[in-house]
Amino acid sequence: MNIAFIGLGNMGLPMAKNLVKAGHSVRVFDLVDSAMVALESEGAERAPSALDAAEGADVVISMLPAGQHVRGLYLGRGESSGLLDDLASRPLIIDASTISPQDAQAVGSVAAERGFTFLDAPVSGGIGGAEAGTLTFIVGGDSAGFEQARPVLEVMGKNLFHAGAAGSGQIAKICNNMLLGILMSGTAEALALGVRNGLDPAVLSEIMKQSSGGNWALNVYNPWPGVMEGSAASREYQGGFLTDLMAKDLGLAWELALASKAPVPMGSEARNLFALHSAQGGGRLDFSSIQKLYRPKDE
């Protein structure tokens, strides 16, 4: 297929690379020129603008930081028009960004009016999953569009879920990441309590993994340095899923809860903890670095 990929950040670049490796013709655009150069060396074609990348494509995939960027790309910003205004062709549009359901529904509504099929398809699995092509795609939109997207998504992901109508992908992703934030902050708190009272963090981790406290954060992504080889915690919290991104997603969960009058006391507390950690300088570290909040400064 002819695929346009817009947004080549930590996640987008390896996702686009996998599409190139699978034999698709991929045109890319990003505001950071070095990201496009990296993909060009892999066999992708660099486009001078998002419109140039998307015109004539069978599929347009976007992976952008926030809702304002997705709305700007597709709906326009200020005096500038968006892709939904300017494209002469009608490609399948897949937005893999994590944004609010309201933003996804707004873009999806305009897309439907203009004759486009639009899917919101946020991902789970982190940079490692993007590189390995094992991401989980959580898709909102009509079922026919989901089936149309399947051959492309299967190149980049291992697990594909159709969550429901437009915006449903975002709702499911927000719920998942709220739970992940709660689990990671709780795991870090429990480990710090044990270590402060004389326990070895590796021994305590193994005990909890085999007991009722076992969870993904503890079993797969232990936040205590040196306990789990290859984890971000054992790489000085470099790479992975940034604290600032977790804080953003927890903010989206809080906004969704506010709009739907849903009580989320633990989600709200996790949001406060990650916001505090970010404010204290941890924003560009992996989100498992929330462990630092619970450790004395001299450790």
Side-chain angles (χ1 to χ4, degrees):
M1 294 185 187
N2 293 319
I3 299 174
F5 205 109
I6 300 167
L8 303 172
N10 290 336
M11 294 291 291
L13 193 148
M15 290 166 68
K17 186 181 295 186
N18 283 331
L19 291 169
V20 174
K21 288 180 179 178
H24 294 291
S25 176
V26 182
R27 291 198 303 272
V28 298
F29 176 74
D30 193 276
L31 294 176
V32 177
D33 190 66
S34 59
M36 291 194 287
V37 170
L39 261 296
E40 198 172 29
S41 67
E42 296 286 338
E45 179 184 349
R46 177 168 44 166
S49 70
L51 179 60
D52 285 308
E55 193 64 79
D58 300 307
V59 181
V60 174
I61 303 171
S62 50
M63 174 58 95
L64 301 172
Q68 67 195 58
H69 306 108
V70 175
R71 292 178 73 108
L73 173 65
Y74 292 109
L75 304 183
R77 185 183 294 110
E79 297 298 317
S80 301
S81 56
L83 289 185
L84 298 182
D85 296 308
D86 296 337
L87 276 174
S89 57
R90 289 295 181 268
L92 170 66
I93 297 175
I94 304 170
D95 179 53
S97 318
T98 297
I99 60 177
S100 74
Q102 294 85 353
D103 284 333
Q105 289 162 354
V107 175
S109 176
V110 175
E113 291 174 2
R114 308 280 169 83
F116 293 89
T117 298
F118 174 86
L119 302 174
D120 57 289
V123 301
S124 179
I127 295 173
E131 292 173 344
T134 58
L135 291 169
T136 294
F137 282 88
I138 309 165
V139 182
D142 67 51
S143 56
F146 175 68
E147 292 303 323
Q148 186 182 353
R150 184 183 291 276
V152 174
L153 299 181
E154 285 177 340
V155 173
M156 301 178 288
K158 181 179 179 181
N159 301 302
L160 310 181
F161 294 101
H162 184 213
S168 297
Q170 301 297 342
I171 295 171
K173 172 66 184 294
I174 287 168
C175 291
N176 178 79
N177 278 23
M178 183 181 76
L179 179 58
L180 177 59
I182 293 168
L183 291 173
M184 184 58 79
S185 56
T187 296
E189 188 172 298
L191 286 170
L193 176 63
V195 171
R196 187 165 295 216
N197 286 278
L199 294 182
D200 183 307
V203 172
L204 177 58
S205 293
E206 193 60 31
I207 291 169
M208 293 194 295
K209 281 169 62 177
Q210 302 303 323
S211 304
S212 55
N215 66 78
W216 186 90
L218 180 69
N219 298 353
V220 179
Y221 213 74
N222 195 295
W224 198 279
V227 170
M228 185 171 288
E229 186 179 350
S231 70
S234 296
R235 302 192 307 271
E236 298 185 346
Y237 301 109
Q238 298 301 310
F241 183 53
L242 299 184
T243 294
D244 280 346
L245 293 178
M246 174 55 81
K248 182 200 83 167
D249 289 357
L250 288 166
L252 291 173
W254 184 83
E255 291 170 4
L256 182 63
L258 189 65
S260 58
K261 298 182 180 179
V264 288
M266 296 179 71
S268 295
E269 184 61 29
R271 174 177 176 261
N272 290 337
L273 289 169
F274 279 96
L276 175 61
H277 181 41
S278 179
Q280 291 182 348
R284 303 303 296 174
L285 299 176
D286 181 79
F287 81 113
S288 62
S289 64
I290 193 75
Q291 186 71 75
K292 287 175 169 286
L293 274 184
Y294 298 97
R295 300 181 66 179
K297 299 300 182 184
D298 56 351
E299 283 190 6

